[in-house]
Amino acid sequence: MSLPVPKSLSQLQSEFLAGWNAYVGNAPGTVIPPSDPIVAIAGSNSGAALHLQGLIYDLVEYARASTSEGPDLDSWLADFGYARPQGAEAQVTLNVTINPALANPPGSVTIPQGALFQTGSIVVPPATLPAVYQVAANQAYVFTSPGTFQIEATAVKPVTLNGIPGYSVYNSLPVGAIATAYQPIAGVTSVSNPASPTGGTDAASDAATRADFIDWIGSLAKSTALGVRASVESAFGSLQFGVNYRLLTNSTAPTRVLPGLIAAVFVSPGNSGQYVGSPFDPNAQAILGAMQSSEALGLTPVVYYAEQYAVTAIDLTYTYSAAALNRAGLSVSALQGLISQAVSGVIPATGGALGSLVYCSALAAAILSISVTLPTGIVSGIVTDVDVPAMSFTTTGGTFGAGDFVQPGTPSALDQLGYLSWDPGTNPVTFTAIQAA
């Protein structure tokens, strides 16, 4: 059960004055002039009530979290926008044997990104029940010659042990246990894991989650996302949470929001960029005032504005390994073509990835992971560095840099976080290439 939405300072003051009207016999809705001393008294009492409201929320948070367990604890923490820290997904290297002559049509074998490979139904201690364990290819692979090659894959489904979901059990998968593709791939004649997966961890225990939650509450200095939400919506009634604005916290967006901060993201028509202090509509001043009034709860507000723009050009600086480039048989222009493909895979113009938040760091990761498959093996490490702070996107609405939200989408659709869409066939990429030994 969620707590009731906290009341803002103006709501508490209005209710105090409405009660005073009833007490002295004034007609309902009578407006008391600001010069009347009772207005000052109402403001003073409402400020105290706002502080007590924050203390009550803290008390309820600590008390319920200390006695709840398992799903009950998770449901309670969800009321405050906090989630149990989840485990890391296990990673595994697979050996795949390829015969392009068996492909359909013959000539090349494609293992798509997300292709599933799995074990049979096996018991893997400390689990006690038989289960099928699946991993998914981290990227798309194309092979044009026969042989055995390595691909990287990630565990796709957590396993619950002692009530805690996670991926640690994948670390105990025997060598050779991952032996089949979930759906047969023409030209792939065998698959096997030469070593057990690594890096899989489980979600935090109840005890660890309680400790993390207390630290999180302390970092917010008595503020709650619900309190901020009430403050924002009382300032401008047409704002709807999750529709035309969103609140982000360190737990929901750790790469964007530091502990102790709450970021409010608004769609502001006509905005020329996603920057604090950019031109914004008249309602933004009221929104900012509402956020700042919440500092009585210990909140430091951070506000971003979002809009939807089509990318017209991308500028990025990268460093490449001349030795790796030669081993891969690529020219600089060919490598830049691969970079364009990598970027378009992260910021597509259409498709199922639209609507998922992407950061410039994700673009850099995609570029750094570029590799070429040869008969003699996979050549990786071709791109050795990407200058993320220098990365910029020229759009129909302005220029966006590495500090901005970058999200796939189409400019005709509305999304509360904003996005950029890119068609690599029509929009150029400007490269600055730096050669390394």
Side-chain angles (χ1 to χ4, degrees), residues 6-20 37-55 293 296-297:
K7 294 180 179 179
S8 66
L9 182 65
S10 60
Q11 286 175 313
L12 292 169
Q13 186 172 11
S14 295
E15 291 179 359
F16 183 99
L17 294 176
W20 176 257
I38 194 63
V39 175
I41 294 173
S44 175
N45 281 274
S46 298
L50 191 68
H51 176 67
L52 290 174
Q53 178 178 250
L55 295 179
S293 69
L297 297 176

Side-chain angles (χ1 to χ4, degrees), residues 45-420:
N45 281 274
S46 298
L50 191 68
H51 176 67
L52 290 174
Q53 178 178 250
L55 295 179
I56 292 170
Y57 268 72
D58 275 356
L59 176 62
V60 175
E61 291 162 14
Y62 285 119
R64 174 70 186 278
S66 67
T67 58
S68 299
E69 296 180 351
D72 187 39
L73 176 61
D74 292 332
S75 68
W76 175 248
L77 299 179
D79 286 342
F80 304 94
Y82 183 82
R84 181 190 300 267
Q86 296 302 299
E89 299 165 336
Q91 307 293 319
V92 66
T93 298
L94 300 178
N95 286 340
V96 291
T97 302
I98 304 297
N99 186 350
L102 300 179
N104 186 19
S108 68
V109 176
T110 298
I111 298 177
Q113 182 176 359
L116 296 176
F117 300 91
Q118 64 186 30
T119 68
S121 181
I122 58 176
V123 176
V124 181
T128 58
L129 297 176
V132 174
Y133 296 85
Q134 292 183 325
V135 298
N138 290 351
Q139 65 181 62
Y141 295 87
V142 178
F143 304 97
T144 57
S145 59
T148 299
F149 306 94
Q150 290 187 334
I151 66 173
E152 303 300 323
T154 301
V156 298
K157 185 178 180 181
V159 176
T160 300
L161 298 174
N162 300 319
I164 303 296
Y167 299 90
S168 64
V169 68
Y170 280 84
N171 301 337
S172 300
L173 286 180
V175 171
I178 303 173
T180 60
Y182 176 68
Q183 292 183 330
I185 301 173
V188 177
T189 59
S190 69
V191 60
S192 180
N193 57 303
S196 298
T198 59
T201 60
D202 295 332
S205 65
D206 286 351
T209 300
R210 292 190 193 98
D212 290 339
F213 178 66
I214 291 173
D215 289 342
W216 179 72
I217 291 296
S219 73
L220 294 181
K222 300 184 176 64
S223 66
T224 68
L226 287 175
V228 180
R229 174 176 168 179
S231 181
V232 170
E233 292 178 354
S234 67
F236 187 47
S238 66
L239 284 175
Q240 299 180 42
F241 181 73
V243 176
N244 47 18
Y245 87 101
R246 180 180 293 180
L247 297 177
L248 304 180
T249 66
N250 178 253
S251 62
T252 59
T255 60
R256 294 292 305 182
V257 186
L258 295 174
L261 300 184
I262 294 181
V265 182
F266 301 94
V267 171
S268 184
N271 179 28
S272 65
Q274 295 172 330
Y275 305 101
V276 176
S278 293
F280 44 76
D281 62 36
N283 301 314
Q285 194 59 49
I287 294 168
L288 279 171
M291 293 288 290
Q292 290 165 352
S293 69
S294 297
E295 286 184 294
L297 297 176
L299 169 72
T300 301
V302 179
V303 179
Y304 298 92
Y305 294 93
E307 185 56 279
Q308 300 79 45
Y309 300 116
V311 177
T312 57
I314 297 177
D315 297 295
L316 63 90
T317 299
Y318 71 97
T319 302
Y320 68 93
S321 165
L325 193 74
N326 291 334
R327 288 198 304 273
L330 293 174
S331 62
V332 172
S333 60
L335 174 60
Q336 291 173 348
L338 293 178
I339 294 176
S340 294
Q341 294 178 20
V343 172
S344 64
V346 180
I347 311 182
T350 60
L354 303 185
S356 58
L357 190 62
V358 177
Y359 303 103
C360 289
S361 58
L363 298 178
I367 296 169
L368 290 169
S369 68
I370 289 175
S371 62
V372 174
T373 301
L374 300 175
T376 55
I378 298 175
V379 179
S380 58
I382 302 172
V383 178
T384 60
D385 189 28
V386 178
D387 191 349
V388 174
M391 192 182 298
S392 67
F393 304 84
T394 302
T395 77
T396 54
T399 299
F400 293 73
D404 297 310
F405 289 101
V406 179
Q407 186 174 19
T410 53
S412 61
L414 176 68
D415 186 276
Q416 63 267 28
L417 283 178
Y419 50 71
L420 305 179

Side-chain angles (χ1 to χ4, degrees), residues 19-40:
W20 176 257
N21 276 334
Y23 178 75
V24 300
N26 291 336
T30 298
V31 177
I32 302 175
S35 58
D36 193 312
I38 194 63
V39 175

